[in-house]
């Protein structure tokens, strides 16, 4: 695949001798305007890649924090059209920060895969992570997405053994997302030694950058994981920070956007120190 | 597996699809497990000792074969309604007489033997009405394995007797409060448990849905219903029944009854979905095929109740066992091919059938098959007297007496 915003960003981070900070928030949490302000703040505070969750009623791979974020977004009226609109508006002021949409297949399937990838590309989306589409289902969305010039980022997990890894990597592009634990998002902290081994194993099979997520919630963990990984993904901790900033009725407050800015700046300092610690 | 060309019994294909439906839409963490399960099930099917063990347990533990019973008074009642001119014979396949009181034990015995073959040491299950939860807890007790049952918090409330049964059997029941707290949310939570505890845990899915190979495997274990029905009916009448009818939530008792009859074109096949407050009432029913459209949920593509943006709706049924926004993928395929007719029955109709059956036959049916019976009571009076309908009486109604009393305004 040709160069994309994602490949350029990972290359820049590698040249700077540090892992990329990949941040996840739910699109429309708790409302569209706040969510746009959050996305801009992520980019301004040190996030290298932004993953936007596409809310779904039945997020089977997510823990309580991201489940609740999706519910808040849906309650706030978020739809796929609004999520694409959010990306379009973000792109008006930011032409370089990669945006990856992450979620489940059904809201895409009902729109039609071909129509969806065209709309997403047009809005300024760079890649997709779809949790419930394994490589066995590549004809559903992965191939149309690649055809439209979007990266299709696959999850590799501790259960993905060497036999299976080539199939998982075959149509993966942009980066590989290594899920550091068997479990749902926001679970226990990963074991850094095991993660380093797994990252090494994946890198023997691919030249793509490997980002590690699930269970990374603070700068210290980000720094430790970032010693070996090309990227560190933080999601539940950010989403929980949004939740903590809301008022009793679940609405955004003056604290919401600054809370994200503070946390991301801290995480960014963690990944920037990652390789220093290794020396 | 039957491999006759043009047979309707050949599915799924090797990727787990029945036409457009089915498949394996799961997170990568689960994919290797699903493939391992598929292999283990293929090995088990090829091993005569597996079949022998299952057959012995079915006979001596579950009480198979279940009776095929001629419901004489209900038949007469329908004939009187037609003015004496019409009225097909109504027969019950008495799955409610099985150990644990429903057809669910058929599938649970098969899967627990498979779990043991695979060396799994912990069982998880989801349940709606509690029938599958009770059956899972039962086989887990029988084989000494710890069992965790996920059940929507709303269902825990409306199915208290079954919750206590599961606890008596040594299972742990986890009420699920996410979403609307019903069956689909219980299934989400069971999937979250499975993805977390992949090494030692076996997910005992209760219906003919979920990622491949579950829909085919659960169907195979439930097909004993239809195979027995065919043989028993032939033994008594020397022919095939004219119509077979079953209720559909996920559709495991239905596919079990239907599958052995799919290649018998003279047999009309009818599945009855939960019409709730009525098909026209938005989000007021659980009839995914009558009132939904294709989508992807819980590992398979199938008809789903969903809004225009692909968000899954909760649906509604008086029966916790039918209150599911999806349906097994083979049913979706059978609907599209036209081989099976799928029709709704409302809460009210099911409640009436529940009472009529109790009074006329001395059998208190579960609310789930009461939906199928409601449709039988509509169709039987329009059919000739020499025709026969077999209904799968999939469960007994003891679990429902409290909620029925509630609906009838009785205090207990």
């Amino acid at each position: 695949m040709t160069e994309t915003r994602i490949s350029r960003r990972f290359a820049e981070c590698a040249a700077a001798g540090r892992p990329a900070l990949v941040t996840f928030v739910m699109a429309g949490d708790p409302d569209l305007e706040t969510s746009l302000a959050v996305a801009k703040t992520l980019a301004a505070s040190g996030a290298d890649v932004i993953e936007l969750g596409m809310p779904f009623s039945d997020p089977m791979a997510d823990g309580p924090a991201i489940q609740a974020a999706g519910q808040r977004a849906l309650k706030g009226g978020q739809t796929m059209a609004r999520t694409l609109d959010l990306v379009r508006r973000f792109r008006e002021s930011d032409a370089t920060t990669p945006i990856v949409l992450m979620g489940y297949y059904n809201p895409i399937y009902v729109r039609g895969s071909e129509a969806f990838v065209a709309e997403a590309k047009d809005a300024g989306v760079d890649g997709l992570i779809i949790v419930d589409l394994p490589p066995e289902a590549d004809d559903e969305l992965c191939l149309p997405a690649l055809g439209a010039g979007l990266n299709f980022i696959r999850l590799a997990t501790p259960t993905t053994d060497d036999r299976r890894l080539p199939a998982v990597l075959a149509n993966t592009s942009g980066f590989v997302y290594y899920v550091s634990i068997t479990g749902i998002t926001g679970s226990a902290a990963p074991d850094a030694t095991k993660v380093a081994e797994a990252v090494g194993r994946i890198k023997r099979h691919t030249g793509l950058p490997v980002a590690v997520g699930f269970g990374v919630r603070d700068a210290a963990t980000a720094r430790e994981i970032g010693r070996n990984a090309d990227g560190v993904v933080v999601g539940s901790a950010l989403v929980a920070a949004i939740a903590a900033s809301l008022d009793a009725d679940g609405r955004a407050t003056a604290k919401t956007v600054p809370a994200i800015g503070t946390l991301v700046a801290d995480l960014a300092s963690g990944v920037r120190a990652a390789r220093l610690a290794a020396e | 597996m039957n491999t006759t060309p043009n047979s309707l019994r050949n599915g799924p294909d090797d990727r787990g699809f029945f036409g457009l439906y089915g498949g394996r839409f799961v997170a990568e963490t689960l994919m290797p497990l699903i493939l391992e399960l598929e292999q283990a099930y293929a090995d088990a099917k090829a091993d005569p000792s597996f079949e022998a063990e299952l057959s012995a347990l079915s006979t001596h533990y579950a009480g198979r074969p279940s009776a095929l019973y001629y419901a004489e008074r209900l038949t007469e009642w329908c004939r009187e309604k037609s003015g004496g001119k019409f009225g097909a014979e109504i027969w019950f396949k008495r799955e409610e007489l099985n150990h644990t009181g429903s057809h669910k034990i058929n599938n649970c015995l098969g899967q627990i033997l498979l779990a043991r073959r695979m060396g799994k040491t912990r069982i998880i299950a989801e349940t709606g009405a509690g029938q599958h939860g009770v059956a899972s807890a039962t086989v887990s007790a029988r084989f000494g394995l710890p069992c965790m049952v996920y059940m929507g918090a709303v269902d825990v409330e409306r199915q208290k007797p079954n919750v206590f049964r599961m606890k008596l059997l040594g299972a742990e029941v986890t009420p699920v409060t996410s979403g609307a707290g019903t069956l689909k949310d219980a299934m989400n939570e069971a999937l979250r448990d499975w993805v977390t505890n992949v090494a030692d845990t076996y997910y005992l899915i209760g219906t003919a849905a979920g990622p491949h190979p579950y829909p085919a495997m659960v169907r195979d274990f439930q097909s004993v219903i239809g195979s027995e029905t065919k043989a028993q009916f032939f033994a008594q009448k020397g022919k095939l029944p004219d119509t077979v009818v079953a209720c559909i939530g996920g559709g495991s008792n239905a596919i079990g009854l239907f599958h052995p009859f799919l290649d018998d074109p003279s047999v009309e096949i009818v599945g009855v979905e939960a019409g709730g407050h009525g098909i026209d009432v938005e989000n007021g029913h659980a009839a995914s095929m009558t009132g939904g459209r294709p989508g992807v949920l819980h590992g398979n593509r199938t008809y789903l109740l969903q809004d225009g943006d692909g968000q899954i709706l909760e649906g509604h049924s008086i029966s916790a066992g039918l209150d599911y926004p999806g349906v097994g993928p083979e049913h979706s395929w059978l609907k599209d091919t036209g081989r099976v007719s799928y029709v709704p029955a409302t809460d009210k109709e099911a409640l009436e059938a529940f009472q009529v059956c109790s009074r006329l036959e001395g059998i208190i049916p579960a609310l789930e098959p009461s939906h199928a019976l409601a449709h039988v009571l509509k169709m039987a009076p329009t059919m000739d007297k020499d025709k026969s309908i077999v209904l799968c009486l999939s469960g007994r109604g003891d679990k429902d007496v409290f909620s029925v009393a509630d609906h009838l305004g009785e205090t207990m």
Side-chain angles (χ1 to χ4, degrees):
Chain A
M1 182 172 262
T2 49
E3 205 185 50
T4 64
R5 284 193 195 99
I6 294 174
S7 63
R8 277 197 293 273
R9 183 53 57 91
F10 273 97
E12 285 161 16
C13 291
R18 65 174 180 87
L21 174 62
V22 182
T23 54
F24 172 96
V25 290
M26 186 64 75
D29 174 22
D31 63 76
L32 188 58
E33 296 307 320
T34 304
S35 189
L36 177 61
V38 164
K40 289 178 178 174
T41 301
L42 290 173
S45 310
D48 297 300
V49 178
I50 297 176
E51 293 177 3
L52 283 177
M54 298 174 281
F56 182 49
S57 51
D58 294 77
M60 290 155 292
D62 285 305
I66 293 179
Q67 287 176 43
Q71 289 302 315
R72 288 194 298 270
L74 290 173
K75 201 174 151 213
Q78 191 69 8
T79 59
M80 187 65 89
R82 284 172 154 228
T83 297
L84 293 170
D85 191 44
L86 175 63
V87 177
R88 203 171 283 118
R89 289 172 64 192
F90 177 86
R91 277 280 166 260
E92 286 169 6
S93 60
D94 188 327
T96 53
T97 306
I99 299 262
V100 175
L101 295 184
M102 179 166 184
Y104 298 81
Y105 184 37
N106 197 54
I108 294 171
Y109 176 71
V110 299
R111 293 177 92 80
S113 289
E114 293 286 351
F116 171 78
V117 297
E119 285 178 279
K121 181 73 186 171
D122 182 62
V125 172
D126 302 292
L128 301 174
I129 303 177
I130 308 301
V131 177
D132 51 355
L133 285 178
E136 283 79 356
D138 269 359
D139 50 341
E140 298 276 343
L141 180 67
C142 174
L143 300 180
L146 296 178
L150 293 172
N151 284 137
F152 199 85
I153 295 127
R154 190 96 61 196
L155 305 174
T157 73
T159 60
T160 313
D161 59 21
D162 277 328
R163 235 173 352 140
R164 190 168 164 75
L165 204 44
V168 168
L169 295 171
N171 286 321
T172 301
S173 65
F175 63 97
V176 180
Y177 186 143
Y178 180 66
V179 175
S180 60
I181 48 152
T182 58
I184 53 180
T185 52
S187 306
D191 175 332
T193 314
K194 282 188 186 165
V195 170
E197 279 169 23
V199 169
R201 184 165 69 87
I202 294 168
K203 285 173 109 33
R204 283 196 292 279
H205 289 263
T206 180
L208 290 171
V210 179
V212 175
F214 281 43
V216 183
R217 49 180 62 252
D218 51 39
T221 316
R223 177 174 166 167
E224 201 174 7
I225 296 294
R227 275 180 209 166
N228 303 92
D230 303 305
V232 179
V233 190
V234 182
S236 294
L238 288 165
V239 161
I242 291 178
S245 75
L246 304 177
D247 70 14
D249 298 321
R251 284 179 305 229
T253 65
K255 292 185 216 153
T256 304
V257 174
I260 291 302
T262 309
L263 179 53
V264 171
D266 185 42
L267 291 164
S269 72
V271 299
R272 279 168 174 77
R275 302 288 161 77
L276 302 177
E279 284 156 11
Chain B
M1 182 97 269
N2 187 328
T3 52
T4 316
N6 301 321
S7 169
L8 293 170
R9 303 179 64 205
N10 289 344
D13 66 20
D14 55 10
R15 294 169 66 219
F17 283 95
F18 302 90
L20 177 66
Y21 304 104
R24 291 178 284 221
F25 296 90
V26 298
E28 173 59 24
T29 308
L30 293 180
M31 200 60 210
L33 278 86
I34 300 272
L35 296 172
E36 183 195 349
L37 176 63
E38 187 183 357
Q39 187 58 52
Y41 179 52
D43 294 347
K45 274 200 292 191
D47 179 355
S49 74
F50 180 79
E51 176 58 36
E53 194 176 3
L54 179 56
S55 173
L57 281 164
S58 295
T59 305
H60 303 293
Y61 189 66
R64 300 210 71 87
S66 67
L68 182 71
Y69 165 77
Y70 175 41
E72 197 177 343
R73 294 197 66 216
L74 265 179
T75 303
E76 284 308 318
W77 189 75
C78 288
R79 285 177 178 171
E80 278 169 31
K81 279 213 309 195
S82 79
K85 277 193 278 188
F86 299 99
E89 288 184 3
I90 300 171
W91 294 71
F92 289 168
K93 178 59 175 165
R94 305 262 329 253
E95 290 298 301
E96 101 282 10
L97 294 178
N98 296 336
H99 180 40
T100 74
S102 82
H103 69 292
K104 293 294 187 187
I105 192 79
N106 303 329
N107 169 48
C108 286
L109 282 174
Q111 288 202 52
I112 197 93
L113 293 181
L114 192 58
R116 278 161 49 93
R117 281 176 76 98
M118 294 175 75
K120 301 294 181 184
T121 55
R122 176 175 175 266
I123 302 297
I124 59 171
E126 85 295 333
T127 197
Q131 295 299 82
H132 174 60
V134 167
S136 299
T138 297
V139 299
S140 298
R142 169 66 182 74
F143 288 99
L145 296 173
C147 177
M148 168 76 84
V149 179
Y150 291 94
M151 188 169 187
V154 170
D155 292 339
V156 166
E157 201 47 47
R158 59 179 170 176
Q159 300 287 345
K160 280 182 193 158
N162 270 346
V163 174
F164 188 59
R165 261 177 213 124
M166 287 183 263
K167 288 181 179 165
L168 279 175
L169 291 161
E172 200 176 322
V173 180
T174 303
V176 177
T177 53
S178 62
T182 59
L183 181 52
K184 98 175 160 77
D185 310 296
M187 199 152 180
N188 290 335
E189 210 55 35
L191 284 163
R192 291 182 187 118
D193 179 315
W194 198 24
V195 86
T196 307
N197 300 292
V198 285
D200 64 346
T201 297
Y202 183 92
Y203 182 14
L204 208 174
I205 294 185
T207 193
H212 178 63
Y214 283 101
M217 180 169 70
V218 174
R219 173 201 69 201
D220 293 348
F221 290 139
Q222 292 294 1
S223 287
V224 67
I225 300 172
S227 305
E228 281 180 11
T229 298
K230 212 169 184 177
Q232 289 168 317
F233 193 84
F234 194 84
Q236 297 202 48
K237 304 286 285 186
K239 59 176 185 176
L240 291 171
D242 299 286
T243 306
V244 295
V245 183
C247 63
I248 313 253
S252 71
N253 90 89
I255 201 69
L257 175 66
F258 298 169
H259 199 256
F261 289 103
L262 290 178
D263 287 338
D264 298 305
S266 72
V267 180
E268 178 191 23
I269 306 180
V270 183
V272 184
E273 297 192 282
H277 302 308
I279 292 297
D280 301 331
V281 181
E282 198 187 339
N283 209 13
H285 61 83
S288 34
M289 286 182 289
T290 312
R293 58 207 170 86
V296 175
L297 179 70
H298 293 155
N300 59 168
R301 176 160 38 221
T302 191
Y303 277 88
L304 295 174
L305 300 176
Q306 53 183 321
D307 70 13
D309 212 38
Q311 306 297 337
I312 309 303
L313 301 174
E314 293 290 343
H316 158 82
S317 171
I318 189 173
S319 147
L322 302 184
D323 204 349
Y324 179 67
V327 65
E330 195 165 8
H331 287 295
S332 293
W333 177 70
L334 289 168
K335 174 194 159 65
D336 284 7
T337 61
R339 177 62 186 98
V340 178
S341 310
Y342 294 92
V343 297
T346 64
D347 287 356
K348 189 163 168 283
E349 291 167 333
L351 209 48
E352 280 163 16
F354 178 96
Q355 296 172 80
V356 169
C357 185
S358 301
R359 287 202 196 116
L360 292 181
E361 293 295 344
I363 296 170
I364 301 178
L367 279 171
E368 290 81 14
S370 295
H371 287 73
L373 183 60
H375 187 73
V376 167
L377 296 182
K378 279 186 241 175
M379 69 189 300
T382 70
M383 293 167 67
D384 286 334
K385 288 182 179 176
D386 62 349
K387 301 287 186 189
S388 303
I389 304 171
V390 177
L391 161 86
C392 184
L393 197 67
S394 57
R396 66 178 181 226
D398 307 41
K399 70 181 175 62
D400 294 316
V401 296
F402 293 98
S403 63
V404 169
D406 216 30
H407 285 286
L408 297 178
E410 304 255 349
T411 39
M412 290 178 71

